[in-house]
């Protein structure tokens, strides 16, 4: 909790971001994340609510890649595809949690874990820490750090779903803005096929604020999916803004990766019992910065290789503030 009275909470299962509660000008507090009050949900979390994703975010074609001349076959968890690190990805691990604080009063929640090839199929024994900090002006910074004894892959993200509404409405009343100019084209298994499609005044053009409901509708109307579920090229780092004019809140996401997936919770089911009621499509929006999906199998899509002995750090920042 910071001095303003805003707070975050994170579960040690899945290093899952559970709550982001803002102190509002009207003296109330408002949580802007979707969560499931029943912990049992997180043991089988098909939509990765709040979870930390790794070692690799997104889809790897056939769960297969070549590194250092050797072919690796990962466990597949979506047909032939490996999604979000596979069945024993970061989201499904128990992490070691610590609360840290500095003299300045900053608050940190740190989660550590070792993973090895026998667990998740990726090469090498890797030590990972995920650190959440909340600043005095309500910025949440998530720092991912990893080091491995062999060359491996590392492309983590945060799978939190935001809903800025005060009530239980879905996010179709929100607006989205992003300067992305290309989107990853997908094959029939929803895996990026190596084509970056230019965005030009179409359903993916969010260079000016666009109503999220409108964006979802144009994707559905043109048979491009059940809502937004796409990965955008962000060469200068992810920079996505979501705002809700009704609740007068704006979320800004920035990160140091070349891609960001926007996912509008298409396919949420009523078996989910969230803090915003039973699950339904569009109940939340996830903004997931990472290295472009399937980059390890594609030319020019970014580098997710972590070299042996190198300490790699990535950041993702989420900032919800009053005003639109
Ligand atoms: C992906 C979706 C997937 C969802 C799983 C998102 O990051 O883009 O395609 O269904 O995660 O929960």
């Amino acid at each position: 909790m910071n001095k303003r009275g805003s707070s975050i909470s994170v579960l040690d299962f899945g290093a899952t971001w559970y709550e982001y509660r803002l102190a509002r000008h009207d003296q109330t507090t408002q949580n802007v994340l979707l969560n499931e009050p029943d912990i049992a949900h997180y043991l089988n979390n098909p939509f990765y609510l709040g979870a930390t994703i790794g070692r690799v975010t997104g889809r790897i074609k056939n769960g297969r890649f070549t590194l250092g001349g050797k072919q690796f076959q990962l466990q597949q968890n979506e047909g032939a595809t490996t999604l979000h690190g596979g069945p024993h990805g970061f989201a499904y691990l128990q992490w070691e949690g610590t609360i840290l604080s500095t003299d300045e009063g900053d608050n940190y929640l740190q989660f550590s874990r070792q993973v090895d090839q026998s667990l998740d199929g990726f090469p090498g024994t890797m030590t990972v820490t995920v650190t959440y900090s909340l600043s005095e002006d309500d910025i949440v910074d998530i720092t991912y750090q990893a080091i491995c004894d062999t060359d491996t892959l590392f492309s983590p993200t945060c799978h939190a779903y935001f809903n800025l509404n005060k009530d239980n409405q879905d996010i179709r009343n929100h607006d989205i803005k992003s300067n992305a100019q290309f989107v990853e084209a997908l094959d029939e298994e929803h895996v990026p096929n190596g084509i970056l499609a230019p965005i030009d005044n179409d359903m993916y053009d969010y260079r000016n604020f666009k109503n999220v409901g409108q964006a979802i509708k144009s994707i559905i109307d043109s048979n491009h999916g059940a809502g937004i579920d796409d990965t955008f090229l962000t060469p200068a780092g992810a920079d996505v803004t979501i705002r809700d004019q009704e609740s007068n809140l704006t979320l800004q996401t920035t990160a140091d990766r070349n891609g960001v997936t926007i996912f509008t919770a298409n396919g949420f089911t009523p078996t989910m019992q969230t803090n915003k009621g039973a699950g339904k499509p569009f109940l939340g929006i996830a903004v997931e910065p990472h290295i472009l999906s399937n980059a390890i199998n594609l030319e020019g899509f970014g580098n997710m290789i972590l070299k042996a002995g190198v300490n790699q750090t990535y950041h993702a920042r989420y900032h919800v503030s009053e005003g639109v």
Side-chain angles (χ1 to χ4, degrees), residues 46-48 59 83-84 159 161 190 229 261 263 288:
F47 289 101
Y48 296 88
R59 294 179 169 83
L83 171 67
H84 291 334
H159 214 295
Y161 292 86
H190 214 83
D229 183 4
T261 297
F263 180 52
E288 314 158 36

Side-chain angles (χ1 to χ4, degrees), residues 45-49 53 57-59 78 83-84 157-159 161 186 189-190 228-231 261-268 286 288 290 293:
N45 186 3
F47 289 101
Y48 296 88
L49 221 61
I53 306 293
T57 302
R59 294 179 169 83
E78 190 188 63
L83 171 67
H84 291 334
T157 200
C158 165
H159 214 295
Y161 292 86
L186 305 172
E189 286 169 325
H190 214 83
I228 310 176
D229 183 4
D230 291 281
T231 303
T261 297
I262 313 281
F263 180 52
T264 47
N266 323 328
F268 266 27
E288 314 158 36
H290 57 97
S293 304

Side-chain angles (χ1 to χ4, degrees), residues 13 31 47 100 116 154 158 194 223 230 233 262 287 314 319:
F13 189 79
N31 169 37
F47 289 101
L100 305 171
D116 63 40
F154 185 53
C158 165
N223 284 322
D230 291 281
L233 173 72
I262 313 281
V287 182
Y314 291 119
H319 184 199

Side-chain angles (χ1 to χ4, degrees), residues 153-174:
L153 306 186
F154 185 53
S155 174
T157 200
C158 165
H159 214 295
Y161 292 86
F162 292 83
N163 182 325
L164 303 177
N165 285 300
K166 277 200 159 166
D167 56 19
N168 287 359
Q169 284 183 81
D170 66 49
I171 50 81
R172 281 176 293 181
N173 61 342
H174 293 13

